[in-house]
Amino acid sequence: MIVHIANPIYDSVFKYLMEDERIAKTILSALLKKDVVSIAARPHEYANENRDKISMFSIDFAATVREADGKEHFILVELQKTWLETETLRFRQYLGAQYSDKRNIDRNSHEGYAIPMVTIYLLGHRVGDIEEPVVYVNHDSYDYDGNMITKGIPDPFIESLVHNSIIVQIPPLHGQINNRLERVLSVFDQTKANADDPHILSLDENTYAGDDNMEYIVHRLTEAAADSDMRQNMNVEDEYYSAIENRDTAIMNRDKKIKEQEKEILEKDKKLSEKDSQIRSLALALKDKGMSLQQIASLTGIDSERLKAILGS
């Protein structure tokens, strides 16, 4: 049976989705490839940064995760979502704020070590020529000869200064479900968007039969699709981004026109320089034959003052 869900690419829908603790644990467990035992959104961390330029929706979580060996530890998860292309400086600025936030220091650490952090980027656009929808960027430690260091790793000092990242490219999600993560991310698959209404994705609920967590996610998104306030919020986002795209298109066209004008000016300057060089060579040749500047000007039809400038005299 086909069900219609609200499109979680929209900030309002995504926020509604991630506010549910069970869903947040399900999505983050799949992304981290670890069992998220407990999770809590950091207070006052919902934000739409720099509305005048881009949308960079951010949520920070504090999570207890269980490793494959059964050990549990506490981490911070910084989740950022954008559906417009943006310069990486925006992400770095937000990341810098997290590094300098005193709340992210482990209070049980006498040395003042930071709580280990993982950053997750949900992108509504592709990154260069990378084809994989999900990219894991993990740090390792090496000695001078390139040998991996394992003794003493992970170390709290190193973990305080570097972090792992997960980059999700939403466009390459094309409905193939080969693992748990792809199943979870399938609710973001934009190829399932309704042709007449991009607010809605159409999913085959049989795909998730027997999977309680996924059925729960689909049910919450189905509720969102039927909520009039949510639909209005998506309309507002469409209007906002349409205005941004129109503005950016105008800026792009203006910049293109300026570049074309600059190119024309450079070509004219080049031709003028070449012409001046030819005139200078001719004037010098005539001057060597004993002709005066006035005679050369009369012969060439070039003003005496310009001849002086060309000849440098």
Side-chain angles (χ1 to χ4, degrees):
M1 178 179 175
I2 300 300
V3 294
H4 305 292
I5 67 170
N7 190 344
I9 195 71
Y10 286 87
D11 291 350
S12 52
V13 180
F14 185 71
K15 178 178 181 293
Y16 176 74
L17 192 66
M18 297 303 290
E19 283 176 335
D20 186 288
E21 181 180 343
R22 178 179 175 181
I23 292 175
K25 286 172 64 175
T26 299
I27 292 177
L28 293 183
S29 292
L31 284 165
L32 295 169
K33 295 190 286 188
K34 304 176 190 297
D35 182 19
V36 176
V37 179
S38 63
I39 192 171
R42 303 290 294 280
H44 310 298
E45 291 301 323
Y46 290 114
N48 294 80
E49 304 291 343
N50 290 304
R51 269 290 190 181
D52 68 317
K53 197 162 188 181
I54 63 163
S55 169
M56 192 178 73
F57 186 85
S58 303
I59 314 176
D60 294 336
F61 293 99
T64 299
V65 298
R66 182 183 294 122
E67 301 289 346
D69 59 7
K71 293 181 179 179
E72 296 181 2
H73 60 98
F74 189 67
I75 66 170
L76 299 178
V77 180
E78 178 193 299
L79 176 60
Q80 298 186 52
K81 181 187 75 68
T82 179
W83 66 341
L84 296 178
E85 290 192 44
T86 180
E87 62 273 0
T88 55
L89 178 60
R90 300 284 178 176
F91 293 125
R92 289 173 62 89
Q93 287 172 334
Y94 188 80
L95 181 60
Q98 302 312 302
Y99 267 98
S100 61
D101 192 336
K102 293 182 179 179
R103 295 177 302 168
N104 296 338
I105 299 299
D106 187 351
R107 295 180 179 179
N108 298 318
S109 169
H110 297 294
E111 297 84 357
Y113 292 135
I115 301 170
M117 180 171 61
V118 177
T119 56
I120 300 175
Y121 303 101
L122 292 177
L123 308 179
H125 58 86
R126 287 179 175 272
V127 176
D129 296 324
I130 299 175
E131 297 179 353
E132 291 75 11
V134 185
V135 179
Y136 287 85
V137 183
N138 298 326
H139 68 272
D140 291 308
S141 301
Y142 301 88
D143 64 15
Y144 179 80
D145 297 315
N147 301 309
M148 185 180 294
I149 298 172
T150 56
K151 185 178 180 180
I153 299 297
D155 176 81
F157 177 81
I158 294 175
E159 296 300 307
S160 294
L161 300 175
V162 294
H163 65 277
N164 294 336
S165 296
I166 304 170
I167 301 170
V168 179
Q169 301 185 98
I170 293 175
L173 297 173
H174 295 309
Q176 295 194 12
I177 300 176
N178 300 308
N179 54 51
R180 178 60 180 170
L181 178 57
E182 289 180 353
R183 178 180 289 267
V184 170
L185 293 178
S186 65
V187 297
F188 291 88
D189 186 353
Q190 297 303 296
T191 64
K192 299 182 183 299
N194 189 301
D196 299 319
D197 185 359
H199 299 165
I200 301 298
L201 303 183
S202 299
L203 302 179
D204 183 354
E205 66 176 351
N206 293 326
T207 304
Y208 310 106
D211 188 330
D212 291 342
N213 286 327
M214 287 306 302
E215 288 179 344
Y216 184 77
I217 291 175
V218 171
H219 177 70
R220 187 165 175 84
L221 288 173
T222 302
E223 288 183 337
D227 187 283
S228 58
D229 290 338
M230 189 69 67
R231 296 296 293 267
Q232 178 58 28
N233 288 338
M234 287 190 278
N235 283 329
V236 170
E237 288 186 50
D238 280 337
E239 292 173 3
Y240 170 73
Y241 289 118
S242 177
I244 285 184
E245 289 175 359
N246 291 337
R247 184 201 63 184
D248 288 348
T249 299
I251 292 174
M252 182 177 64
N253 291 335
R254 182 202 64 189
D255 291 344
K256 181 181 179 182
K257 187 174 182 179
I258 290 173
K259 287 182 179 179
E260 290 174 349
Q261 290 174 340
E262 289 175 345
K263 184 178 179 181
E264 289 177 3
I265 291 172
L266 288 174
E267 290 177 351
K268 288 179 180 178
D269 287 346
K270 182 180 178 182
K271 290 180 180 178
L272 185 59
S273 178
E274 291 174 350
K275 185 176 181 180
D276 285 349
S277 179
Q278 293 172 354
I279 293 172
R280 187 173 187 276
S281 297
L282 175 61
L284 286 173
L286 295 175
K287 188 176 180 181
D288 289 342
K289 292 184 177 181
M291 294 183 67
S292 66
L293 191 63
Q294 289 74 16
Q295 290 174 319
I296 297 173
S298 176
L299 181 64
T300 60
I302 298 172
D303 183 82
S304 298
E305 293 301 319
R306 188 182 173 202
L307 275 175
K308 287 181 181 180
I310 293 173
L311 293 171
S313 60

